[in-house]
Amino acid sequence: MFISRIRLKNFRNYDDLDIKLNDRLNIFVGNNAQGKTNILESIYLSGFGKSFRTNKDRDIIKMDKDMAYIKIEGQKRYGDISIEMRFWKNRKKEIKVNSLSLIKLSDILGNLNIVIFSPEDLKLIKEGPSERRKFVDREICQINKRYCHSLISYNRVLYQRNNLLKKIKYDRKLINTIDIWNEELVKFGTEVILKRREFINRISSLSRLMHRKITDGKENLEVKYLSNIGIKNKDGFNEIYKNFIEKIEKNIEKDIDRGFTGVGPHKDDLGLYVNNIDIRNFGSQGQQRTVALSLKLSELEIGKAEIGEYPILLLDDVMSELDINRQKFLMKSLKNVQTFITITEIPEIMIPLVQEGFIFEISKGKVKKR
Ligand SMILES: Nc1ncnc2c1ncn2[C@@H]1O[C@H](COP(=O)(O)OP(=O)(O)OP(=O)(O)O)[C@@H](O)[C@H]1O
Ligand SMILES: [Mg+2]
């Protein structure tokens, strides 16, 4: 899939932008604070319905204006696609896919598949488990809507069960009502675990290959699913369900005491090891960045396998953080992927690699094709 045109009105620092794009490579060059990332943000918004930089929709509306407009046109394997979004200061945003209004925001997922890699992605490695869960969930949701529903249901039941736990502490007889919540929690939770395990197994073997290539065979990356339920690779729905419910029942007094549920996929983590060393705590900055890159490139392959075509890749400010060999490897491995790159300057060494693409110069919210 690829995007052929972007139109922006009153979006961030753009008044009115209309650009046609290259179906392979698009590079946005410019000094800091000129509007490079803003363009990537508009693409991301069209894929996910929300931004990677803010939860507040009104932030993206140009200062002193009342409405922002984004239109993305592109092509997928089975035909054209257009996504239009309107954001208002005091109203809910409106989204249209191929001119039809969406009723639920989550219905936007799966129309434009996007993989983004930015310096922020180091968080995925360095910060707590919730960043890694977010990564896994976002990726699976893009390719599997049912998973998204199971996850939303799981979180809803978890919230309700936690509320009940707090009440039981002061009114013991309410404990009779917890079984029904346990069963619901474990049912949705098992669905979540099964999908996460499948995804992590796939990303584990793909990212190991990627990582070998990027590091010239020197580093062996292992990605592991860490769950506090204790699941094995051969366990099916019934085994996981049984394990999970046993743990929930065993922990009931602890849960009541603390007022929240201690076991379940909401505590999952991703183990990341390079040559058997836990990279989350002991990796160098460069190693951590390379692991993040390997994970992201694997996402492209998973997207391709699932939907039959490569997702669109957004690379925000990452080129300058990689050494020359890694930059070259990256450019070579992106031959069939529409890629958007932001950069402050194109280094000499990259010029022969970017010749087929479009280069846009960005200054103060104005874009000029070079
Ligand atoms: N709602 C808004 N209205 C007007 N301008 C905005 C709004 N939000 C952000 N900006 C402006 O957009 C610019 C930042 O754009 P962007 O983040 O795309 O920069 P960039 O070119 O990627 O810079 P860098 O190289 O530093 O990453 C800033 O000048 C900022 O003030
Ligand atoms: Mg930027």
Side-chain angles (χ1 to χ4, degrees), residues 31-38 40 53 119 316-317 342-344:
N31 289 336
N32 295 139
Q34 301 304 306
K36 302 183 298 296
T37 303
N38 291 345
L40 300 195
R53 308 165 120 183
D316 192 19
D317 270 346
T342 69
I343 200 158
T344 46

Side-chain angles (χ1 to χ4, degrees), residues 242-349:
K242 189 167 153 275
N243 250 333
F244 192 175
I245 202 114
E246 273 172 20
K247 287 240 161 65
I248 282 277
E249 282 164 2
K250 205 174 118 210
N251 274 295
I252 182 77
E253 287 307 325
K254 233 194 243 170
D255 281 359
I256 293 171
D257 196 44
R258 291 180 302 194
F260 69 84
T261 307
V263 289
H266 58 290
K267 294 277 177 188
D268 280 352
D269 199 356
L270 212 54
L272 301 165
Y273 310 89
V274 168
N275 299 340
N276 295 322
I277 289 166
D278 189 339
I279 211 73
R280 295 170 300 178
N281 303 319
F282 302 107
S284 78
Q285 182 101 340
Q287 267 181 323
Q288 291 179 332
R289 196 170 289 131
T290 312
V291 169
L293 181 60
S294 302
L295 290 173
K296 291 284 159 170
L297 294 180
S298 312
E299 272 178 55
L300 291 173
E301 296 300 329
I302 290 181
K304 169 85 176 13
E306 285 289 326
I307 55 181
E309 56 188 328
Y310 279 111
I312 290 159
L313 179 65
L314 311 180
L315 297 175
D316 192 19
D317 270 346
V318 289
M319 279 309 189
S320 52
E321 299 204 14
L322 298 172
D323 64 34
I324 300 295
N325 286 336
R326 288 173 197 202
Q327 283 185 29
K328 277 191 189 158
F329 170 80
L330 188 57
M331 295 307 292
K332 265 195 261 153
S333 57
L334 298 175
K335 283 269 179 284
N336 302 309
V337 181
Q338 190 187 28
T339 306
F340 293 84
I341 294 177
T342 69
I343 200 158
T344 46
E345 232 173 294
I346 302 182
E348 280 293 307
I349 175 100

Side-chain angles (χ1 to χ4, degrees), residues 4-137:
S4 49
R5 185 175 181 187
I6 301 179
R7 278 189 267 176
L8 303 176
K9 282 197 185 119
N10 299 331
F11 174 80
R12 296 281 191 192
N13 66 337
Y14 290 94
D15 292 315
D16 200 340
L17 176 78
D18 186 351
I19 46 170
K20 298 217 165 68
L21 302 160
N22 186 277
D23 57 13
R24 253 271 296 133
L25 180 62
N26 297 277
I27 304 182
F28 300 110
V29 195
N31 289 336
N32 295 139
Q34 301 304 306
K36 302 183 298 296
T37 303
N38 291 345
I39 295 190
L40 300 195
E41 185 182 31
S42 72
I43 299 173
Y44 186 96
L45 272 160
S46 311
F48 292 95
K50 50 189 177 194
S51 170
F52 57 93
R53 308 165 120 183
T54 176
N55 288 323
K56 287 188 243 130
D57 283 344
R58 55 187 305 158
D59 287 358
I60 66 154
I61 303 173
K62 186 156 199 224
M63 269 164 224
D64 306 324
K65 300 286 179 190
D66 299 317
M67 190 192 104
Y69 173 77
I70 302 174
K71 182 167 185 186
I72 302 277
E73 291 166 67
Q75 248 169 280
K76 295 184 45 165
R77 210 154 53 115
Y78 296 115
D80 294 343
I81 178 135
S82 86
I83 296 176
E84 279 176 284
M85 311 183 87
R86 289 180 172 82
F87 298 85
W88 285 277
K89 280 223 158 101
N90 304 312
R91 253 198 285 163
K92 264 173 70 181
K93 62 192 149 199
E94 185 186 297
I95 306 176
K96 285 184 182 169
V97 176
N98 292 336
S99 304
L100 290 175
S101 291
L102 293 189
I103 296 161
K104 279 197 311 253
L105 178 62
S106 63
D107 284 341
I108 195 159
L109 297 175
N111 288 299
L112 267 190
N113 295 79
I114 288 165
V115 172
I116 182 167
F117 186 46
S118 74
E120 283 277 284
D121 284 303
L122 261 192
K123 274 198 201 159
L124 170 61
I125 316 291
K126 278 172 87 157
E127 292 195 0
S130 71
E131 284 298 320
R132 289 180 283 280
R133 283 195 298 272
K134 249 193 258 165
F135 160 75
V136 170
D137 291 338

